Amino acid sequence: MDTGGNIKRALIIGLVWPEPNSTAAGGRMLQLIQLFIKNGYRLTYASTAAETEFTYDLNLIGVDKITIQLNHPSFDNFIKELNPEFVLFDRFMVEEQFGWRVAKHLPKALRILDTEDLHSLRFTRHEALKANRDFALEQWLQYDMTKREIASIFRCDFSLIISGFEMELLQKTLRIDQRLLVHLPFLLDNITDNEIKEWLSFENREGFICIGNGKHAPNIDAMIWLKNDIWPVIRQHLPTVNVHIYGAYLSERIKQLHNPKEGFYVMGRVAKVKEVMGKARINLAPLRFGAGLKGKLIEAMQTGTPSTTTTIGAEGMFQDLSW
């Protein structure tokens, strides 16, 4: 291992290996990796998870990869030898597992938490939905996961928060010092005039689209709600239109919703999301719970595709603009 003194080293400990073509979280992680590389860091990405056939090949962009073990002294030796300037924890659960080891063996290293979204907010909203009651901040404050997540924020030097709504929640409701929080939404290039010229016109598009990773509970709920309650109403008014459901890791339960007679097509994984998004007339995102920013709405914007969503879906997406 090169330990040259002039090299700025950084370590990312990931909950999983990034899959930017499968999940918005994977895309977000790749954006952060590219940001750190651009700023001159030699990155190492470590995870306890197993890679899949869809894992992004980090070696292609010069990132070192290593599989680490949980609750094992080998990690202590690894970080002492690597000696990074900062360690970024991918979600609070990872900080709980490895943060104390980093603090013990590398007390001078900056510790950064990338929340992805506030998991406690998403889970509390899910619990409220399952109980058929309105979400209340008081319930979120009492939730054990909330206490764990906030404790993780306080243990780190600062945390990356993707949503402006969540920034406001943490500062105004919990009175967390703004110096501990950095608002960092998706890192995206501006849409160019040439890209806009390539967009299909509304007349040359067809049908509806709904997309989401099958390992993400809000997406599963959205697809089932769409099939059972929303799509029948749409078909009543537009009896010849179709909707195509795309997403990695869709379960058998979702695949069984496939019904061509009703114009409901479950397509599964797609290699190029923007390609299919750009052919649809409307993007449907019926999210009844969740947190953070919604990658599916970003991809719709990037292809000029109108979206219809819920208050939860639009949260943090539009700043001062009217959705």
Side-chain angles (χ1 to χ4, degrees):
M1 182 178 294
D2 185 356
T3 57
N6 295 325
I7 298 177
K8 297 193 300 181
R9 294 194 174 277
L11 172 65
I12 297 175
I13 307 178
L15 180 67
V16 295
W17 296 95
E19 294 186 23
N21 292 327
S22 301
T23 68
R28 159 72 165 186
M29 178 53 70
L30 187 57
Q31 291 169 8
L32 292 178
I33 288 171
Q34 292 169 334
L35 175 66
F36 297 140
I37 292 174
K38 183 179 179 180
N39 282 275
Y41 283 94
R42 176 67 183 268
L43 278 179
T44 299
Y45 191 101
S47 180
T48 61
E51 295 188 55
T52 75
E53 60 179 309
F54 304 108
T55 296
Y56 185 85
D57 189 354
L58 294 172
N59 293 143
L60 293 177
I61 54 175
V63 176
D64 299 322
K65 301 191 305 181
I66 184 169
T67 299
I68 53 177
Q69 292 179 269
L70 187 62
N71 298 325
H72 198 277
S74 59
F75 177 80
D76 305 338
N77 296 328
F78 158 65
I79 57 170
K80 285 189 286 187
E81 182 180 355
L82 185 67
N83 193 27
E85 291 187 15
F86 73 79
V87 179
L88 182 140
F89 304 101
D90 170 33
R91 295 166 246 207
F92 82 91
M93 300 85 78
V94 172
E95 190 279 331
E96 287 181 327
Q97 295 169 340
F98 293 99
W100 66 276
R101 288 183 177 273
V102 173
K104 179 179 179 180
H105 297 288
L106 292 178
K108 294 184 179 181
L110 199 67
R111 283 174 285 150
I112 305 171
L113 173 64
D114 180 34
T115 57
E116 291 287 354
D117 62 19
L118 287 181
H119 287 55
S120 57
L121 181 62
R122 170 159 44 89
F123 275 81
T124 309
R125 285 171 166 170
H126 193 186
E127 291 298 314
L129 178 65
K130 289 189 290 186
N132 196 28
R133 53 175 166 74
D134 293 334
F135 168 77
L137 280 179
E138 291 77 14
Q139 294 161 349
W140 172 65
L141 291 170
Q142 295 171 7
Y143 196 39
D144 284 345
M145 184 180 289
T146 305
K147 299 170 186 176
R148 290 170 53 198
E149 194 162 28
I150 301 308
S152 182
I153 289 174
F154 277 118
R155 282 193 297 267
C156 291
D157 292 289
F158 64 87
S159 296
L160 306 180
I161 310 298
I162 199 169
S163 164
F165 173 85
E166 293 174 8
M167 281 288 290
E168 185 174 339
L169 184 66
L170 293 171
Q171 291 182 71
K172 292 188 175 181
T173 302
L174 292 178
R175 307 296 182 185
I176 295 179
D177 192 319
Q178 63 180 2
R179 291 174 295 182
L180 295 178
L181 307 172
V182 176
H183 183 207
L184 192 67
F186 288 123
L187 305 172
L188 304 168
D189 295 327
N190 291 332
I191 300 172
T192 66
D193 291 338
N194 287 334
E195 288 174 318
I196 293 174
K197 290 177 182 177
E198 295 296 318
W199 291 348
L200 292 178
S201 66
F202 187 78
E203 290 74 22
N204 290 325
R205 296 167 178 248
E206 186 176 342
F208 294 81
I209 188 173
C210 178
I211 191 162
N213 168 31
K215 290 183 177 180
H216 195 54
N219 293 332
I220 296 300
D221 177 77
M223 292 172 184
I224 294 172
W225 188 38
L226 174 62
K227 175 63 168 62
N228 293 339
D229 298 308
I230 300 171
W231 189 243
V233 179
I234 293 177
R235 284 280 284 191
Q236 183 179 355
H237 292 276
L238 301 169
T240 62
V241 300
N242 300 318
V243 61
H244 290 82
I245 311 298
Y246 293 96
Y249 304 112
L250 296 184
S251 66
E252 283 302 315
R253 182 182 183 187
I254 297 301
K255 292 177 181 177
Q256 289 173 6
L257 300 178
H258 180 77
N259 191 328
K261 290 183 179 180
E262 297 177 359
F264 200 92
Y265 292 84
V266 179
M267 309 301 293
R269 179 185 290 272
V270 61
K272 297 180 179 179
V273 172
K274 291 181 183 178
E275 191 172 288
V276 294
M277 183 69 79
K279 294 178 180 179
R281 285 192 168 184
I282 301 289
N283 173 40
L284 299 174
L287 297 162
R288 296 197 289 179
F289 66 98
L293 299 184
K294 313 306 181 289
K296 55 181 68 64
L297 299 181
I298 292 290
E299 289 158 342
M301 293 176 185
Q302 291 174 321
T303 56
T305 305
S307 293
T308 181
T309 189
T310 59
T311 302
I312 293 291
E315 182 179 273
M317 295 292 299
F318 55 90
Q319 296 181 338
D320 296 328
L321 300 174
S322 171
W323 184 268

